[in-house]
Amino acid sequence: MRKTTAVLVLIFLFLFSHSSTAIQTATSFQTVFIRAGQFFDSEKGLFFSNRDIIVKGNVIEVVGENLPIPEGAQVIDLKQSTVIPGLIDAHTHLLYLENPSGTLSSENIKALTIEGTPLRALRGSSRARTFLMAGITTVRDLGNSGRFGDVALRTAIDEGTVDGPRMYVSGPGLSSEGGQFPGLQFNYRAIAEEEYRVVRGATDASIAVRENATYGANLIKIYSNNTPNRTLLSLEEMKAIVQEAHLLGMKVAAHATSDLAVLRAVEAGVDSIEHGYEISDTTLKLMKEKGTVLVPTDGDVKILKRYFEKAKIIPVPTEQDILKFSSPSHSRIQRAIKAGVTIVAGSDMYIDLDMPQGEAAKRVLFAYREAGMEIPHILQSATINAARLIGEQKLGMIKPGSFADIVAVEGNLAEDFNKIEKVKFVMKNGTIYLRNQ
Ligand SMILES: [Zn+2]
């Protein structure tokens, strides 16, 4: 009998502990009233002073000036801050972290054969949290996650098991022979096929799209060229991929570094070009015509210096050297803007630089600043432009009907872009994850 009582007490305690979690979740469906000192309108690309935002559940209900506080609302005072839509990083690899002194082949083989997908996903979940804390509430995760480890992490975040940004994932990237594993011995070529979906012909390319769609990918990532490997996808393969993906309502992101690789991917009809380091003006013109977006995955001076130090490249280049080395990248961003090509922010930050990965990823915005982009344009690239590329109307904006993904940074961001590092408040889908006074 006593034993039964003890069991009942335990059951009660268990239920109670779980119901207290439920109460916490329920608070996220209350009304929240936010007072913003400065406010960024991503649609207009303009800053406004003194805006109030009313959030109900996971959706923004009203945005306006001098709004009355709804009864019972939780009031968040952000009068000393700039409120922006949750940032979007359109090019991440949450399940892959590379030691700067290693190579892509050696580090990736280690991830596949020693680390393994379950551990990669667990470590990815801790990296995901650093993105959220940095104010990045959405990522487009583009492969290098084994076979669908990214889908597992997305599921864990969506159900609230772990904290992280909204994830739009590609599953394994579709690549030509060899993946991105230069030097792999022929007998071990199957290793590359654990990380990449190697396609062999147009029919196989369509099948690969269906596979990724079936196993949970939101979009398709392809490698027009396979840097650092020399193989390329054929035009027929890429066209088959785009046709199949678009049929299934999926966007196609293409890794392309050389001008030839960019041109062929654009001709095949992909939605975004990732990297595009050597892009020519004629290719940019075609991108503008076809509405292809550019995701320039650049490093700023601080990140590159840190990388050179950690990779033990001696002598470590000076800031002047780094700016000089980056000037072709800067000029391609300027040329792209001049050609009218839409820029979307994407970090491709997969290097271990001994700092929170989300903070390291956010430095890409400083690289755009170094390339001469204006502050509102940088913020648009990481909000509304990225949301449009993802194809989600309710993201990237703070307006009625949008998802309540809201971030605040200290002070006046319009005057000092460094403030983007000082995140004070993070709300994703109506839930508050960070609130610093
Ligand atoms: Zn990448």
Side-chain angles (χ1 to χ4, degrees):
M1 201 56 189
R2 275 183 176 235
K3 222 174 182 179
T4 317
T5 315
V7 168
L8 283 173
V9 167
L10 278 175
I11 289 172
F12 176 78
L13 284 175
F14 176 80
L15 288 174
F16 184 76
S17 69
H18 277 248
S19 69
S20 69
T21 319
I23 289 165
Q24 270 196 344
T25 314
T27 59
S28 67
F29 291 99
Q30 272 186 347
T31 302
V32 180
F33 182 87
I34 298 171
R35 285 225 139 102
Q38 298 295 316
F39 173 86
F40 180 65
D41 182 327
S42 60
E43 254 180 322
K44 296 192 174 86
L46 295 171
F47 288 92
F48 294 95
S49 298
N50 301 319
R51 286 287 183 276
D52 298 330
I53 304 158
I54 298 172
V55 173
K56 203 157 201 176
N58 69 334
V59 172
I60 293 160
E61 201 174 55
V62 192
V63 180
E65 266 180 290
N66 302 316
L67 297 176
I69 300 173
E71 208 184 305
Q74 183 185 3
V75 179
I76 312 272
D77 179 358
L78 295 169
K79 276 184 281 194
Q80 306 303 317
S81 303
T82 305
V83 172
I84 60 175
L87 296 169
I88 303 172
D89 185 341
H91 190 130
T92 62
H93 300 284
L94 291 182
L95 276 73
Y96 179 69
L97 190 66
E98 185 172 303
N99 183 331
S101 49
T103 67
L104 192 56
S105 286
S106 65
E107 290 291 297
N108 214 333
I109 289 166
K110 220 158 56 183
L112 282 165
T113 59
I114 295 167
E115 193 180 10
T117 307
L119 188 54
R120 290 175 78 176
L122 285 165
R123 287 175 173 163
S125 74
S126 127
R127 275 171 224 133
R129 196 181 149 73
T130 68
F131 279 72
L132 197 55
M133 292 303 116
I136 298 167
T137 53
T138 300
V139 301
R140 211 174 54 136
D141 203 67
L142 301 182
N144 294 98
S145 42
R147 289 197 178 158
F148 303 101
D150 49 358
V151 172
L153 180 55
R154 184 194 63 200
T155 304
I157 291 172
D158 283 350
E159 69 194 14
T161 302
V162 296
D163 291 346
R166 294 170 191 278
M167 287 182 78
Y168 291 86
V169 307
S170 70
L174 276 47
S175 148
S176 57
E177 205 63 41
Q180 288 179 296
F181 287 86
L184 193 64
Q185 296 299 300
F186 183 79
N187 286 357
Y188 299 100
R189 65 181 191 164
I191 289 177
E193 296 177 31
E194 291 290 318
E195 190 77 344
Y196 299 86
R197 172 57 168 86
V198 173
V199 302
R200 299 183 173 98
T203 307
D204 188 38
S206 306
I207 293 168
V209 172
R210 288 175 214 151
E211 274 175 20
N212 278 16
T214 299
Y215 297 111
N218 303 99
L219 72 145
I220 299 296
K221 161 83 177 281
I222 67 168
Y223 296 80
S224 177
N225 63 343
N226 237 357
T227 7
N229 258 341
R230 66 198 289 194
T231 53
L232 301 165
L233 283 171
S234 74
L235 199 53
E236 290 66 34
E237 286 165 337
M238 287 194 281
K239 280 183 175 166
I241 289 165
V242 170
Q243 196 183 7
E244 193 69 27
H246 286 177
L247 178 69
L248 303 178
M250 301 167 95
K251 301 288 185 93
V252 180
H255 166 108
T257 53
S258 69
D259 188 43
L260 178 69
V262 175
L263 181 63
R264 286 158 58 92
V266 174
E267 279 175 355
V270 303
D271 300 284
S272 67
I273 292 295
E274 312 295 311
H275 320 301
Y277 300 120
E278 296 169 7
I279 212 161
S280 69
D281 285 336
T282 48
T283 305
L284 284 168
K285 202 167 156 244
L286 186 65
M287 285 176 74
K288 165 68 182 164
E289 277 168 33
K290 299 193 77 163
T292 322
V293 159
L294 177 65
V295 183
T297 55
D298 298 4
D300 75 323
V301 168
K302 184 178 166 183
I303 280 294
L304 291 172
K305 195 155 196 292
R306 216 174 162 106
Y307 169 75
F308 290 129
E309 281 163 6
K310 287 216 57 173
K312 300 198 170 58
I313 289 165
I314 295 171
V316 173
T318 63
E319 289 191 7
Q320 272 333 82
D321 292 339
I322 294 171
L323 277 173
K324 208 168 143 193
F325 153 87
S326 300
S327 96
S329 296
H330 294 164
S331 85
R332 78 133 167 21
I333 290 181
Q334 286 300 340
R335 288 188 291 111
I337 292 169
K338 213 171 138 198
V341 170
T342 299
I343 307 286
V344 168
S347 68
D348 197 24
M349 175 42 68
Y350 57 81
I351 307 284
D352 184 0
L353 295 172
D354 270 339
M355 61 191 284
Q357 208 61 15
E359 292 297 332
K362 204 164 58 174
R363 297 298 309 179
V364 72
L365 305 181
F366 289 90
Y368 299 161
R369 191 84 186 106
E370 286 167 5
M373 277 173 72
E374 300 296 338
I375 294 172
H377 192 185
I378 296 172
L379 292 175
Q380 283 181 314
S381 79
T383 55
I384 192 165
N385 294 358
R388 284 177 179 155
L389 173 61
I390 287 169
E392 177 50 74
Q393 310 280 332
K394 292 180 178 176
L395 280 181
M397 289 180 277
I398 299 178
K399 72 171 198 183
S402 288
F403 290 131
D405 289 8
I406 300 171
V407 166
V409 300
E410 187 183 284
N412 190 336
L413 187 61
E415 286 170 3
D416 180 6
F417 193 63
N418 290 314
K419 298 290 188 197
I420 197 91
E421 290 199 296
K422 309 272 184 217
V423 176
K424 306 279 285 177
F425 175 83
V426 177
M427 174 185 270
K428 188 197 84 176
N429 213 31
T431 298
I432 298 166
Y433 291 90
L434 179 78
R435 194 183 172 187
N436 285 341
Q437 288 311 314

